[in-house]
Amino acid sequence: MTHEFYTLYDHMLHSETIIYMIMGISLVAFTLYWFFITGRDDNADD
Amino acid sequence: MNEQIMAPKKGLMTPFNIGAAIIVVAGIIITILRFTLGLGAVTNLSDYYPWGIWIGFDLMVGVALAAGGYVTSSACYLFGMKRYHAAVRPAILTGFLGYFFVVVSLIYDLGRPWRLPYPFLLGWGTTSMLFEVAFCVALYLTVLFLEFSPVALEWLGLKKARNLVHKLTILLTILGVVLSTLHQSSLGALFIPAPSKLHPLWYSEYIAVFFFVSSIVAGLSMVIFEGAISHKALHHRMGKEYLENHDDLTLGFAKAASMVLAGYFTIKWVGVAAGNHWDLLATGYGLWFLVEMFGFIALPSVLYAVGVREKKFGVIKIAAVISVLGIIVNRLNVSIICFNWYLPSADRYVPSWMEVVISLFMVTLIMLVFRFIANRMPLFDTHPDYRDNH
């Protein structure tokens, strides 16, 4: 994962791209995780 | 007080009392040494490490673990989850005692403790993060005292004063959330001016957010953890409402803790990505970071989730213990273990045994005062005179 960056723009583009990927994956994962946690709930409004 | 919650007769010579007595006696002796001979006589603090475990553990961990107060009261009074009402009083007391002994620990740690009120009296250092922390902690301690006071006033039979304070509940809860948000995050922000001292895997421009989010986990986990201990040790003091809602509270808080831990896990990786520190994961500190991430954040999150899904309260309690340990590990990592991480081992800080005893002394005093109050005041039960007034 080590990169050589020659400009700040390159560095920002690289790190921001990974952050956006993490956030995108997380949003999907959180939804699935919530369904897993509440899958056997008796009370739907919890 | 009704007959149902009269304390059972127990001898004084219990293992807990004997252990507590030894720690209290040792703590008093070291306290005398600290205030007569100075910090150098009892601590291993140095110019490299002016903050030891009295800050790293007693203050950083103490403030985080005392977050149960604002988490529970805001869930009940601001988010309308009235079924958690029975847990508010013990959570507020835990928070109040936590903050009170944070200030006591600070008096031990300050070279000139009589200058503690100086920020408010002499110099308003409004550009200082420490000033913000001091100001918020002082105000929040007052708020917690007022939030807890109805319990003491009911016990003393001062109905008018109790009803007056009770009317302020919503206002105090809002103040509590605002002040907690500010100083929980500011404790992390204290390290923002030290990028060259804190290891890059723990240093982040988002460290204030990390501290705040992890304080919510700490608060939720401490309520579950403290509830489990109280359930065993103080069962005879618990009223019907508390006992009926205890399982529901445990499941609700575990569900919240699981999701918040998942969020915390994610933003910690965002911190690594923002600094592009992936290469450091293959170092010794990197492995320790992975232990914290997977062992103390991801693992309890999954355990909470499984515990809630399968309604396994034992699993939830284990998750609460691991989460509390995780908060301790994180705060010690940031303030001590990964601070000045590049120094040779001879210059690294290792607390003296007397510093450790003083920290144990503080924890023991919190437990003793909590037990003293819980055995006398209507903490787990509504006072019969106020049952319809909540």
Side-chain angles (χ1 to χ4, degrees):
Chain A
M1 298 291 282
T2 310
H3 289 264
E4 280 204 18
F5 298 106
Y6 296 102
T7 64
L8 179 62
Y9 177 79
D10 278 349
H11 178 267
M12 293 299 287
L13 185 67
H14 179 82
S15 55
E16 293 293 311
T17 304
I18 294 178
I19 289 171
Y20 276 101
M21 284 165 64
I22 292 173
M23 295 315 297
I25 293 166
S26 305
L27 283 174
V28 177
F30 283 162
T31 312
L32 297 173
Y33 197 48
W34 178 251
F35 283 133
F36 172 76
I37 295 171
T38 58
R40 293 185 187 169
D41 268 8
D42 305 325
N43 192 354
D45 65 1
D46 267 355
Chain B
M1 207 50 36
N2 58 26
E3 288 167 27
Q4 181 198 345
I5 55 175
M6 290 298 285
K9 297 283 179 202
K10 265 189 188 175
L12 274 175
M13 300 297 278
T14 61
F16 174 80
N17 284 353
I18 294 167
I22 293 168
I23 293 171
V24 168
V25 170
I28 291 169
I29 293 168
I30 297 169
T31 299
I32 294 167
L33 293 176
R34 153 69 188 93
F35 288 104
T36 52
L37 302 177
L39 281 169
V42 294
T43 71
N44 281 346
L45 297 176
S46 64
D47 287 344
Y48 287 126
Y49 290 95
W51 287 352
I53 58 165
W54 292 348
I55 296 295
F57 179 78
D58 296 21
L59 193 144
M60 294 282 178
V61 175
V63 167
L65 295 184
Y70 87 87
V71 170
T72 312
S73 58
S74 56
C76 177
Y77 298 121
L78 301 185
F79 296 107
M81 300 173 182
K82 294 289 180 189
R83 61 187 186 280
Y84 300 148
H85 180 261
V88 172
R89 287 182 167 194
I92 292 287
L93 177 61
T94 310
F96 174 65
L97 293 177
Y99 276 88
F100 181 79
F101 281 97
V102 158
V103 177
V104 174
S105 299
L106 199 56
I107 290 170
Y108 278 72
D109 189 73
L110 291 174
R112 286 182 279 186
W114 55 91
R115 290 196 169 192
L116 194 65
Y118 272 32
F120 314 112
L121 300 178
L122 294 181
W124 282 66
T126 48
T127 55
S128 160
M129 201 55 78
L130 264 181
F131 173 77
E132 202 267 347
V133 172
F135 199 65
C136 281
V137 169
L139 284 176
Y140 188 47
L141 185 61
T142 312
V143 167
L144 280 169
F145 174 75
L146 290 172
E147 279 187 295
F148 177 70
S149 61
V151 179
L153 293 170
E154 283 175 17
W155 181 57
L156 294 169
L158 300 170
K159 285 188 180 180
K160 278 188 180 173
R162 183 267 177 204
N163 289 336
L164 184 70
V165 180
H166 184 69
K167 284 177 186 163
L168 300 172
T169 301
I170 297 292
L171 176 69
L172 292 172
T173 306
I174 293 169
L175 269 175
V177 173
V178 171
L179 293 169
S180 295
T181 308
L182 286 167
H183 73 262
Q184 292 282 1
S185 55
S186 299
L187 280 175
L190 283 177
F191 293 89
I192 285 182
S196 59
K197 293 189 176 183
L198 186 56
H199 191 281
L201 284 173
W202 281 270
Y203 181 85
S204 167
E205 60 259 52
Y206 306 126
I207 193 168
V209 182
F210 298 166
F211 266 57
F212 174 63
V213 174
S214 58
S215 82
I216 298 172
V217 175
L220 294 165
S221 300
M222 266 308 281
V223 171
I224 296 171
F225 178 63
E226 174 249 299
I229 294 174
S230 299
H231 215 67
K232 279 195 172 181
L234 297 160
H235 191 82
H236 59 282
R237 297 285 307 172
M238 291 173 176
K240 201 177 156 196
E241 187 196 357
Y242 186 92
L243 291 170
E244 275 176 357
N245 290 314
H246 185 256
D247 286 353
D248 193 27
L249 170 104
T250 306
L251 288 173
F253 273 36
K255 193 186 289 179
S258 180
M259 286 306 291
V260 180
L261 275 165
Y264 180 49
F265 183 78
T266 306
I267 58 172
K268 286 281 278 182
W269 284 121
V270 169
V272 176
N276 198 38
H277 295 309
W278 301 101
D279 54 319
L280 295 175
L281 292 175
T283 63
Y285 276 100
L287 288 177
W288 181 229
F289 181 77
L290 291 173
V291 168
E292 186 188 323
M293 290 294 287
F294 287 96
F296 292 108
I297 302 174
L299 177 65
S301 175
V302 172
L303 287 176
Y304 272 133
V306 172
V308 171
R309 189 178 159 87
E310 306 292 333
K311 308 262 186 300
K312 289 187 174 172
F313 293 94
V315 176
I316 291 174
K317 286 172 195 168
I318 292 168
V321 172
I322 298 173
S323 296
V324 169
L325 287 175
I327 296 299
I328 296 172
V329 167
N330 175 259
R331 297 306 192 257
L332 290 179
N333 275 342
V334 171
S335 60
I336 295 170
I337 298 168
C338 304
F339 196 77
N340 284 336
W341 56 283
Y342 46 78
L343 287 177
S345 55
D347 291 331
R348 299 299 305 271
Y349 164 80
V350 178
S352 72
W353 67 270
M354 287 187 278
E355 288 178 84
V356 176
V357 170
I358 287 295
S359 290
L360 288 174
F361 180 45
M362 293 299 151
V363 175
T364 308
L365 288 179
I366 290 174
M367 290 196 288
L368 289 174
V369 177
F370 187 94
R371 189 178 68 173
F372 179 86
I373 292 173
N375 274 323
R376 283 158 184 81
M377 299 185 193
L379 193 67
F380 297 102
D381 187 30
T382 311
H383 194 285
D385 293 352
Y386 306 94
R387 288 235 159 93
D388 301 324
N389 188 10
H390 275 275

